[in-house]
Amino acid sequence: QTALLDQEGRKEYLSSHYGFPCDCPCCILQGEEKIRDDKLRREILQLEKQIERLLYDFPQSDHDNSIDDYSSNDEECEETGKICKNSQGNFLKAGKENCDSINWNLEEIPEDPEDCVKLGLELAFKRLDLMELVGIKALCKIRLCLLIHETALEWDL
C-alpha cells in the first residue's frame, strides 16, 4: 500500500522507515505531473475498495445499493473513485489515451450477484491499467491478475 500513497506520504514513509529520501522518477515529479500521479494513486485505492465491495459484499437492501460511501470526498479529485461509463454505457478502462478525460458517472451497484462480480472484474482491469500508468511493481499487478483469474473461474465467466 505504500506505493499508493501520495508523493509526500511515500517520501515520509521511506525516510522514517529506511532513513533515506526517495529520488525515484515518481518521487521527483513536480507540478501537473505530480498532481496527476497523486490523483491516479488515490483512484487506484478507491477502485480497490469498490472491487472488494462488488466481489465480496453483495447488496442486501435498497439502502446498500449505492457506492456513495466509497467515493472520494477530496475536493481536488471529486471524480476519483466513481465507476465510470462512457456515453454509450460501456465501462471504461483508463488507458494512456483517455486517462485524463474520463467522464465519471455514479452508478448503482447491480442487485444480481453475478452482475456485481462482472462489474468488479471490469473495475479490476481498470485498476490494472492505472497501476501500469503509475509504475506499480509487477508483483502487485500479478496479485490483481490472480484475483481476476480466480474470480472468473469461480463464477464460470
Side-chain angles (χ1 to χ4, degrees), residues 138-157:
L139 183 58
C140 294
K141 293 185 281 189
I142 290 170
R143 287 183 184 137
L144 182 55
C145 289
L146 182 61
L147 171 74
I148 292 168
H149 177 75
E150 289 176 344
T151 303
L153 287 177
E154 183 179 335
W155 285 84
D156 290 327
L157 300 174

Side-chain angles (χ1 to χ4, degrees), residues 10 13 22 25 52 54 58 60 68 95 107 114 119-121:
R10 292 190 314 274
Y13 178 84
C22 184
E52 185 174 310
L54 287 164
F58 303 123
Q60 301 298 317
D68 286 335
E107 288 293 316
E114 186 172 327
L119 178 56
L121 291 175

Side-chain angles (χ1 to χ4, degrees), residues 25-40:
C26 292
C27 285
I28 60 172
L29 293 174
Q30 295 180 358
E32 290 299 316
E33 288 179 326
K34 176 192 170 300
I35 292 169
R36 180 176 182 267
D37 186 76
D38 287 348
K39 182 178 178 180
L40 289 173

Side-chain angles (χ1 to χ4, degrees), residues 46-54 81-83 123:
Q46 291 297 320
L47 283 170
E48 181 179 29
K49 293 174 187 177
Q50 290 176 352
I51 292 164
E52 185 174 310
R53 184 166 184 205
L54 287 164
K82 296 180 183 176
I83 298 170
L123 292 179

Side-chain angles (χ1 to χ4, degrees), residues 98-117:
N98 65 356
C99 185
D100 289 327
S101 62
I102 292 174
N103 180 22
W104 297 94
N105 294 312
L106 189 62
E107 288 293 316
E108 295 293 313
I109 293 179
E111 291 184 25
D112 179 34
E114 186 172 327
D115 290 339
C116 283
V117 169

Side-chain angles (χ1 to χ4, degrees), residues 65-84:
N65 206 27
S66 170
I67 62 168
D68 286 335
D69 295 340
Y70 289 85
S71 297
S72 172
N73 291 326
D74 188 342
E75 288 182 23
E76 178 182 84
C77 63
E78 74 182 66
E79 298 172 344
T80 299
K82 296 180 183 176
I83 298 170
C84 64

